[in-house]
Amino acid sequence: MPVEPLSRPRIVAAAIDLIEREGADAISMRRIAADLGVGVMSLYNHVPNKATLLDAVAETVLSGIEFTDDPDADWTDRVRMQARAFRQIAHHYPRCTMVVVSRQLQSPAGMLPVERALATLRSVGFDGEEAVRILRMFIAYIVGSLLREVGVTPTFAPVHHSQVDIEKVDPVLFPETRSLAVELGACDHEAEFEFGMELLIQAIAGRLAGRGR
Amino acid sequence: MPVEPLSRPRIVAAAIDLIEREGADAISMRRIAADLGVGVMSLYNHVPNKATLLDAVAETVLSGIEFTDDPDADWTDRVRMQARAFRQIAHHYPRCTMVVVSRQLQSPAGMLPVERALATLRSVGFDGEEAVRILRMFIAYIVGSLLREVGVTPTFAPVHHSQVDIEKVDPVLFPETRSLAVELGACDHEAEFEFGMELLIQAIAGRLAGRGR
DNA sequence: ACCTGAACACCGTTCAAGT
DNA sequence: ACCTGAACACCGTTCAAGT
C-alpha cells in the first residue's frame, strides 16, 4: 500500500511527525504504523522495539542541529553559537524536546556537540578537567532552559496564559509571587536564555582572566 | 483486606514507592492497586485519574524538601541553601525526579520555593524583573543538573560505567572526547553542582556590585 | 460513601504463517 | 528479506452493580 518502501528513516520521520502533531504521549507503534499505512508488525522489520525507535528520534532531531562553527571567531562567540544551536531544537521540534533530553545517546550525533564544545574550551586554555566542568554546567543550563521553553518545567514559572490564575494566588502567603505576577506571567524565552548564557560566559571569562595571576 | 483504609495520601505514597523501586516507566494504576491490595477501581474513589496522581506525586516529593532559611545569613548563603535543598530531591527520590520536573504545578508546594527565592533576591536589592530573571536562570541550572545526576540527560555526559565504552569512541573523529575519557567518565555530582552554583552566585554578585556605579 | 468486576478501547511484542 | 494477522499480557477508564 505505501508508495515508498518502508524504511527506518521513514519510520523515524513518521514518529517525529506524530509527536509534533499530537504530543509525546500520543506516540505508539500502532499509531505510527497506521500513519504509514502498514501493519504494526511491519515496523519491527526495521526497528527492534519502541525504545530504540525513540532513541532514533532523539538522534535524528539532534543531528538536525545546525552547528556553524567559525574557528577564527572570538571564543565567546563560538560558545554563544553552540549554545544557541542547541536551543534551536526547542524551536524546530518543541514537542520532541523532552524525548531528546531524556534519552541517553552514545551515538556520533550525540557526541559531536560535546567534541566541538570541548575543543573550543581547550583552545582558549582551559585544562581538561575545567573544560568538562564548564561543558557540564552549560549543558545543565541549556537543558533546563529548553524544558522551561517547551512548557514542561514545573511550578517555578507559574501563572501562565491567564490572568485568572494570578487572582488565585494568596497574597498573604505569597506576597512576592503575587506582586511579581506580571513579570512571572510573561516569559520572553530568547531574552531569558540569552541573559543566563551571557552571565555564564562572563563568569567563565572571569575565571579565565583570573588564571594569569 | 487493607488494614488501613484507602486514602489519597496512602495511594500517593504507594506510587512514590513503586517508582523508586521499579522506575517511572513501571508505574500503572493496576500495579499501585495491587501493591495496596485493592481493586484498580478503588483508586478512582480518591484520585480522578493517573495524571492527577502523578501531579500529587510531584507535589508530595516537592513539599518534602527541607528549606531551612536563615534570614540573618549572608544572601549568598541563603541562595546556596535553597539551591541545595532542591538538589536533595535527586538524592531522596532519584527515580521520581523526572516526574517532579516534568509536571506543571500551581499548588502551594510548588510555589513556596519560588516565593522564598524571590523574597531573598528582592531583599538584596534586585528589582522585580531582575529577581525573576535570576530565579529562572537558577531553576534552569538546577533542573538540568538534577536530570544529569539522575542519569536522564543524554549523550552529553557520555561514556559511563564502563571503560569499554571509551574504547569504542573513534579517536580521529572525536579526539577531545577520547583524550578526556577519564574526566568525562567520572562525575562527582555534588562537586559538579557546587561548581556551577558558585559560578552563578559569583556572576549575580558581580551584577549586584556593578549596580552602585 | 466507598468498593468492585466486567467491559471497552487501547498498548508493545512474540510467534507462526505467508510472499 | 520483508510483510502480516492472531494472540498474549498488559494498559487507563466508564459503567453498573454491590455494600
Side-chain angles (χ1 to χ4, degrees):
Chain A
M1 196 57 60
V3 51
E4 274 185 84
L6 207 48
S7 67
R8 192 180 158 107
R10 252 170 54 82
I11 293 172
V12 172
I16 293 176
D17 249 42
L18 181 57
I19 293 174
E20 289 304 326
R21 245 170 31 235
E22 309 195 19
D25 285 346
I27 210 182
S28 79
M29 299 300 274
R30 291 173 129 105
R31 289 281 274 105
I32 295 167
D35 283 5
L36 288 166
V38 300
V40 207
M41 292 320 299
S42 305
L43 304 183
Y44 287 84
N45 292 306
H46 303 88
V47 164
N49 52 42
K50 191 185 181 182
T52 305
L53 174 54
L54 289 179
D55 283 342
V57 165
E59 198 183 319
T60 301
V61 169
L62 211 48
S63 68
I65 297 181
E66 290 166 29
F67 282 107
T68 52
D69 192 17
D70 175 7
D72 295 328
D74 182 53
W75 71 270
T76 60
D77 276 335
R78 296 176 68 192
V79 169
R80 260 182 275 268
M81 287 307 158
Q82 291 177 42
R84 287 187 188 128
F86 261 103
R87 201 173 80 87
Q88 287 183 322
I89 298 176
H91 275 141
H92 292 3
Y93 305 96
R95 310 183 85 169
C96 284
T97 302
M98 195 65 201
V99 176
V100 175
V101 133
S102 65
R103 304 247 130 208
Q104 213 139 349
L105 307 180
Q106 65 282 55
S107 62
M111 292 176 45
L112 193 61
V114 170
E115 176 66 23
R116 290 198 205 239
L118 289 175
T120 304
L121 290 170
R122 299 226 50 183
S123 74
V124 283
F126 288 109
D127 68 32
E129 200 180 349
E130 289 170 314
V132 170
R133 259 200 205 304
I134 290 168
L135 172 60
R136 284 188 176 139
M137 186 186 66
F138 265 96
I139 289 166
Y141 173 70
I142 293 169
V143 166
S145 295
L146 290 201
L147 291 193
R148 161 161 39 71
E149 183 155 354
V150 142
V152 120
T153 313
T155 193
F156 326 110
V159 187
H160 60 165
H161 62 240
S162 147
Q163 291 294 92
V164 181
D165 294 335
I166 304 175
E167 303 299 323
K168 285 192 279 195
V169 175
D170 186 334
V172 12
L173 277 173
F174 303 104
E176 295 295 346
T177 306
R178 184 59 181 266
S179 82
L180 293 174
V182 175
E183 288 83 351
L184 287 167
C187 188
D188 178 339
H189 293 295
E190 175 165 340
E192 217 73 36
F193 182 79
E194 294 283 328
F195 170 81
M197 185 177 69
E198 291 307 326
L199 225 52
L200 289 180
I201 289 176
Q202 168 199 321
I204 70 173
R207 217 177 150 77
L208 197 59
R211 246 337 212 2
R213 289 174 295 172
Chain B
M1 196 58 59
V3 52
E4 273 186 84
L6 207 50
S7 68
R8 193 181 158 108
R10 251 168 56 81
I11 294 172
V12 172
I16 293 175
D17 249 42
L18 180 58
I19 293 174
E20 289 304 325
R21 246 169 31 234
E22 309 195 20
D25 285 346
I27 209 182
S28 80
M29 300 300 274
R30 290 172 128 106
R31 290 281 276 102
I32 295 167
D35 283 5
L36 288 167
V38 300
V40 207
M41 291 321 298
S42 305
L43 303 182
Y44 287 84
N45 291 306
H46 303 88
V47 165
N49 52 43
K50 190 185 181 182
T52 305
L53 174 55
L54 289 179
D55 283 343
V57 165
E59 198 184 320
T60 301
V61 168
L62 210 49
S63 67
I65 298 180
E66 289 166 30
F67 282 109
T68 51
D69 191 18
D70 174 7
D72 295 329
D74 183 54
W75 72 269
T76 59
D77 276 335
R78 295 176 69 192
V79 169
R80 261 182 275 268
M81 287 307 159
Q82 291 176 43
R84 288 185 188 131
F86 261 102
R87 202 173 78 88
Q88 287 185 322
I89 298 176
H91 276 142
H92 292 2
Y93 306 96
R95 309 182 86 170
C96 284
T97 301
M98 196 64 199
V99 176
V100 175
V101 133
S102 65
R103 303 248 129 208
Q104 213 140 350
L105 306 181
Q106 66 282 56
S107 62
M111 292 177 46
L112 194 61
V114 171
E115 176 66 25
R116 290 195 205 242
L118 289 175
T120 302
L121 290 170
R122 299 226 49 183
S123 75
V124 284
F126 288 110
D127 69 32
E129 201 179 348
E130 290 170 313
V132 170
R133 259 201 205 303
I134 291 169
L135 172 61
R136 284 188 176 139
M137 187 188 64
F138 265 95
I139 289 166
Y141 172 69
I142 293 169
V143 166
S145 296
L146 290 201
L147 291 193
R148 161 160 40 71
E149 183 155 353
V150 143
V152 119
T153 311
T155 195
F156 325 112
V159 187
H160 60 166
H161 63 240
S162 147
Q163 292 294 94
V164 180
D165 295 335
I166 303 175
E167 303 301 322
K168 285 192 280 194
V169 175
D170 185 335
V172 13
L173 278 173
F174 304 103
E176 296 294 346
T177 306
R178 185 59 180 266
S179 83
L180 293 174
V182 175
E183 289 82 350
L184 286 167
C187 187
D188 177 338
H189 292 295
E190 176 165 340
E192 218 71 37
F193 182 79
E194 294 283 326
F195 170 81
M197 184 177 69
E198 291 307 325
L199 225 52
L200 289 181
I201 288 176
Q202 169 199 319
I204 70 172
R207 217 177 150 76
L208 197 60
R211 242 346 207 359
R213 288 175 296 174

